Amino acid sequence: MTHIKIDPAIAEALKNFTLPDNLGFGQVMAPVMASCIYENGRWGQLELLPYGPISMYPNAKVLHYAQEIFEGMKAYRVGGLGPFIFRPDENHLRFNRSAERMAMPHIPIELFMQASLEVTAYSADFVPRRSGESLYLRPFMFATEEALGIKPSEKFRFMVIASPSGSYFSVGGLSVFIERHSARAFPGGTGFAKAGGNYAASLLSAIKTKNLGFVQTLWLDGRDKKYIEEMSGMNFFAVINNELHTPEINDSILEGITRKSIITLARDAGIKVVERKMEINELLEDIKAERCTEAFACGTAAIIAPIDYLAEESGERFPLKDHEGKLALQLREQLLSIQEGRSTDIYKWVVNVEPKSLPKNL
Ligand SMILES: Cc1ncc(COP(=O)(O)O)c(C=O)c1O
């Protein structure tokens, strides 16, 4: 591990922090954050700071050209075990894939892990302990070079912030709006990267989805609007003829770590998993004919959320027969019990973090 510089002000920040009863998702921030600056072609020293405002110039490139990427992962401490971080090595690989696409420097694995682990270790007392709750970790990197030319930045800042969080949403009642007009991503674009701009592109449809009375937007391929891609922050699965089907990965779908883990768990449980191009109209026929009995969304935040029904802009609904999520809930429990350290981690997916208190000399 490289040396980390700890700001003495974190002592006060840690002492003054209390975990509120009502957490929500991503609303309460842990009192410490990690930060590291890239300039002159290399990463500088990693620092641990009290959580708080950061300053940058109004001409920092991120504010104009959206050169920004992020990750999302969770540390669990259910019943006082852990904290356990789920598959951070996968988040690191994806972070660097996103960095490449957005013309940003790679983050060395040691830096990514140390920043994430230190924030988790010092926040260990603030990781909520009930099942489904966690410390949501948000590593991110943005362009800080002060210049308005449309050129890749040569200066960046990498940070990790964290949020003690409740469940993302309660299981049940997930309604999904089929977005047949707008696109969040398209072939050759940035959809496979976890870049801020992709999420900005999804927000107008999020408003439309909400105004129509639905919860999540389902994106189709950007060119033909024919094939299912994913939700704005989750991947998509359907149970068809007792097999698990999911859109195959392409450059406009974000390859979820939850998706990848579900495929492994399902295959090892003897369930046939099919990764293919999934036509939306064919799926709707399969739902009507009850060949498709169940569908669910999955991602770090929500883990696995069974879908109640799919809906068109006209209001037409396609309810799933097993909307309470038979297989979804079985997989959810299997996955969550590994994440929370309640079952044996045969896949070596979980990283155990040693809780830290402040060194005496601070
Ligand atoms: C667009 C998008 N798709 C899918 C996912 C699910 O990915 P993961 O399971 O790694 O959280 C996310 C969330 O990270 C996302 O933002």
Side-chain angles (χ1 to χ4, degrees), residues 7 9-10 13-14 17 26-34 48-54 119 123 138 140 159-163:
D7 183 337
I10 76 163
L14 289 168
F17 184 82
Q27 286 164 15
V28 175
M29 298 311 297
V32 292
M33 61 186 189
L48 198 66
L49 307 166
Y51 179 79
I54 54 172
V119 169
S123 304
R138 170 55 62 88
F140 61 112
M159 301 189 74
V160 178
I161 55 175
S163 171

Side-chain angles (χ1 to χ4, degrees), residues 184-185 189-203 219 232 254:
R184 75 176 272 284
T190 59
F192 72 92
K194 216 163 157 59
N198 294 337
Y199 297 81
S202 75
L203 297 178
W219 297 100
S232 301
L254 188 95

Side-chain angles (χ1 to χ4, degrees), residues 143-302:
T144 53
E145 188 182 330
E146 308 91 355
L148 291 179
I150 307 177
K151 278 192 280 182
S153 179
E154 295 196 357
K155 282 193 199 168
F156 297 91
R157 188 165 178 178
F158 167 65
M159 301 189 74
V160 178
I161 55 175
S163 171
S165 290
S167 291
Y168 192 61
F169 32 63
S170 49
V171 168
L174 186 61
S175 55
V176 172
F177 167 61
I178 307 163
E179 174 55 274
R180 291 197 184 255
H181 300 288
S182 290
R184 75 176 272 284
F186 40 83
T190 59
F192 72 92
K194 216 163 157 59
N198 294 337
Y199 297 81
S202 75
L203 297 178
L204 190 59
S205 292
I207 295 173
K208 183 160 110 186
T209 301
K210 187 160 177 251
N211 287 345
L212 288 165
F214 308 122
V215 177
Q216 281 285 317
T217 314
L218 181 66
W219 297 100
L220 306 179
D221 70 284
R223 191 172 49 197
D224 302 322
K225 311 279 182 344
K226 195 170 164 193
Y227 299 103
I228 299 172
E229 299 236 296
E230 59 177 324
M231 321 286 205
S232 301
M234 288 183 281
N235 294 113
F236 178 84
F237 280 89
V239 180
I240 303 170
N241 296 327
N242 295 318
E243 298 168 354
L244 198 50
H245 290 235
T246 190
E248 68 186 11
I249 293 303
N250 62 40
D251 68 358
S252 51
I253 297 180
L254 188 95
E255 185 174 7
I257 295 154
T258 317
R259 175 189 181 278
K260 203 170 170 177
S261 308
I262 287 170
I263 291 174
T264 302
L265 291 177
R267 286 202 171 127
D268 287 0
I271 297 162
K272 184 166 177 204
V273 181
V274 184
E275 294 177 77
R276 64 173 172 96
K277 281 167 94 103
M278 291 179 73
E279 260 192 60
I280 183 64
N281 290 345
E282 185 189 297
L283 182 78
L284 297 179
E285 287 305 316
D286 285 344
I287 293 176
K288 279 201 274 190
E290 295 190 357
R291 286 185 293 274
C292 173
T293 47
E294 189 177 334
F296 58 86
C298 69
T300 296

